[in-house]
């Protein structure tokens, strides 16, 4: 069972994450993706970023924890949501962009490779990916989940077979240089 399918875990996360959103990251994506583009968010959680993305894009939210999907759907009955694993990305649908904010750090090495391969398959020609990661090189167990801290080089090397890098930058979410984002275009 996904960790966040336990309502207590999900509600604790929502409380802990209050005050954080991906607005500054999405503003960077906005410079590269046209209004109305079809965007898939992987690991939407409570949907804080999905709300922001929805102002400009034709969005589809997804997560592997049904609790988050059901919770968001109650408040947004018309939302387009799918239960999706960020590795398998098992859908026939295609998108112009795939976005995630602090999701892919849950994937171990091989799973991350497979995710990038499957993301490429779910994108239209020249489709974009935009993902944020925790920055570092350790693997940590926290709250019953695994966190793979990554370097920019590691991630850009892994996506290179499927994507051409547009840009990657280190930024601060809670502390200096604790995070980075990557943006790349399908080859
Ligand atoms: C930090 S939260 C994302 C929060 C989101 N950016 C927002 O705006 O609220 C991480 C999310 O990734 C999801 N997740 C973790 N591993 C996943 C996987 N393999 N497939 C899909 N979702 C996953 C979790 O269920 C959780 O909702």
């Amino acid at each position: 069972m996904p960790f966040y399918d336990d309502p207590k875990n999900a509600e604790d996360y929502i409380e802990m994450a209050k005050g954080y959103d991906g607005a500054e990251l999405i503003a960077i994506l906005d410079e590269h993706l046209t209004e109305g583009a079809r965007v898939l968010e992987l690991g939407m959680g409570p949907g804080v970023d999905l709300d922001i993305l929805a102002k400009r894009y034709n969005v589809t939210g997804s997560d592997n924890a049904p609790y988050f999907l059901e919770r968001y759907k109650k408040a947004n009955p018309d939302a387009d949501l799918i239960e999706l694993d960020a590795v398998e990305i098992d859908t026939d649908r295609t998108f112009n962009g795939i976005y995630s904010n602090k999701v892919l750090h849950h994937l171990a090495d091989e799973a991350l490779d497979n995710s990038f391969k499957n993301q490429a398959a779910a994108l239209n020609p020249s489709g974009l990916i935009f993902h944020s990661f925790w920055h570092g090189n350790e693997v940590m167990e926290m709250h019953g989940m695994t966190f793979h801290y990554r370097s920019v080089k590691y991630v850009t090397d892994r996506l290179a077979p499927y994507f051409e890098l547009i840009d990657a930058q280190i930024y601060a979410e809670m502390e200096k240089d604790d995070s980075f984002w990557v943006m790349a275009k399908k080859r």
Side-chain angles (χ1 to χ4, degrees):
M1 179 175 95
F3 180 77
Y4 289 121
D5 229 17
D6 178 332
K8 181 172 182 334
N9 293 341
E11 295 299 332
D12 284 353
Y13 167 76
I14 291 165
E15 203 47 44
M16 190 188 75
K18 270 199 177 132
Y20 293 96
D21 67 39
E24 289 180 17
L25 303 178
I26 293 166
I28 300 164
L29 177 67
D30 290 348
E31 290 169 23
H32 295 262
L33 210 50
T34 52
E35 199 166 344
R38 296 205 58 83
V39 174
L40 170 69
E41 180 175 6
L42 298 174
M44 63 176 273
V48 175
D49 289 2
L50 194 68
D51 285 343
I52 301 170
L53 289 164
K55 289 182 190 152
R56 178 176 164 90
Y57 303 112
N58 212 329
V59 282
T60 301
S62 72
D63 208 286
N64 68 346
Y67 178 80
F68 276 135
L69 303 176
E70 286 155 20
R71 188 180 182 283
Y72 192 84
K73 196 82 181 173
K74 270 188 205 145
N76 304 273
D78 296 333
D80 180 29
L81 305 182
I82 42 181
E83 186 179 331
L84 211 58
D85 179 77
V87 181
E88 302 303 327
I89 317 193
D90 188 9
T91 176
D92 292 338
R93 297 170 58 181
T94 56
F95 302 90
N96 306 113
I98 299 180
Y99 169 93
S100 76
N101 187 5
K102 301 290 171 56
V103 174
L104 301 185
H105 61 276
H106 291 304
L107 308 185
D109 298 358
E110 195 181 341
L112 185 62
D113 287 352
N114 287 333
S115 176
F116 284 135
K117 183 177 74 188
N118 293 331
Q119 287 179 46
L123 280 169
N124 296 326
S126 302
L128 296 187
I129 54 170
F130 188 107
H131 301 297
S132 75
F133 291 82
W134 292 111
H135 185 213
N137 52 23
E138 53 286 269
V139 181
M140 291 216 256
E141 297 290 329
M142 274 189 282
H143 315 298
M145 288 179 295
T146 309
F147 288 64
H148 298 265
Y149 287 67
R150 300 293 192 187
S151 68
V152 175
K153 180 169 178 357
Y154 182 84
V155 171
T156 54
D157 283 353
R158 305 325 291 187
L159 61 79
Y162 318 102
F163 296 93
E164 186 187 318
L165 184 68
I166 296 174
D167 202 358
Q169 282 186 30
I170 296 170
Y171 69 97
E173 176 147 344
M174 293 173 168
E175 289 173 19
K176 186 174 184 294
D177 296 349
D178 66 357
S179 303
F180 69 93
W181 57 262
V182 294
M183 179 164 35
K185 185 167 81 169
K186 180 174 169 173
R187 289 190 187 281

